[in-house]
Amino acid sequence: GMYFAMVLGMAELSSALPAAGGGYTFARRALGPWGGFATGTAILIEYAIAPAAIATFIGSYVESLNLFGITDGWWIYLAVYAIFIGIHLTGAGEALKAMLVITGIALVGLVIFAISALGLFESGNLTDIPVTDAVGASSFLPFGYFGIWAAVPFAIWFFLAVEGVPLAAEEAREPEKNVPRGIIISMLVLLVTGASVLFLATGALGADGLSTSGNPLVEALGDGTAAKVVNYIGLAGLVASFFSIMYAYSRQTFALSRAGYLPTSLSVTNSRKAPMLALIVPGVIGFVLSLTGEGAMLLNMAVFGAAVSYVLMMVSHIVLRVREPEMPRPYRTPGGVVTTSFALVIAAAAVVATFLVDPVAALWTFAAFAAFMAYFGLYSRHHLVASSP
């Protein structure tokens, strides 16, 4: 619900302000330079850390495939980062074509998974976690009301980075029409695929078994041919996520650098018009983080950055509706500020949830956020580029 309401709000913002800064562009207009930088930083933290988490998941998938006897290790993470940064450096067109093919393969894998899992589905498996004595506990909510709260960061992971679609505004045709359409269609695809995976994997393997799995789709299908196929294709799904978030972090870094919020050298492009350092620098940081191997902690760190940015973007939508009612908006959010206020309340709850679920991850991320804000306050706000979009 939060994500659907949020993307409807973002569809309006992206149609009114189509620029490569995405969330930063919206907040800069609504909340000024501090709000713009805070939003851009939250998104950047999310996008720099999410690929590190995905790299650790790719490692456990590769290991479970038993390819060439490879065991999960730092050099898988290095190879993944090096190969995909290399593809992105060849230019946006080439990178996005590759991404489309990988995503297509991943979707085929989900269809194969769904058909196979249907045959193994047992409704009793959905509720096989023993009921605890927590407040509000039942077979449906074994950990009670607090369990819902604790699950929020992992639920967000189903949809994380869909808000990156507006970052492609300067490389899209007719962005004021196509970006809102793109973000809403993306959300609908994620709703269908996310719900299918949630119910079918749990129904096939059992909620208890699934809760500790490193590669749930494969384990849900057991040992057969379908499991092997889904394992290979599941790898394609992880690669698609990794690849697309890499695109998003490079465009967010590029936009913040071009405007002077981050060192301007980060927005220099190569002969293929790809922002070189904006791809490489966050990639190096992500690779270093992936060496911790702490996939779940990195996931929570990325979710914290995401949730903070969602709060700021929904505030931006509401502020612009109130303050600039006459602003041209080719797409308007159904329900207006009521829709975005709903998303705002749940996003704020998600920020709090990350502190409750993994205080260490939330505090580390908060420390990084504070360091960026200090850099802005002490240095870069005096060096902004007035002419940038």
Side-chain angles (χ1 to χ4, degrees), residues 9-44:
M10 289 196 64
E12 174 180 305
L13 290 166
S14 63
S15 75
L17 301 163
Y24 140 73
T25 307
F26 313 147
R28 171 74 185 79
R29 176 76 168 254
L31 309 173
W34 279 97
F37 184 69
T39 308
T41 298
I43 293 171
L44 196 54

Side-chain angles (χ1 to χ4, degrees), residues 22 28 32 68 133 145 149 214 246 259 306 373:
R28 171 74 185 79
F68 321 114
D133 55 3
Y145 301 129
W149 196 261
M246 185 172 273
M373 295 312 287

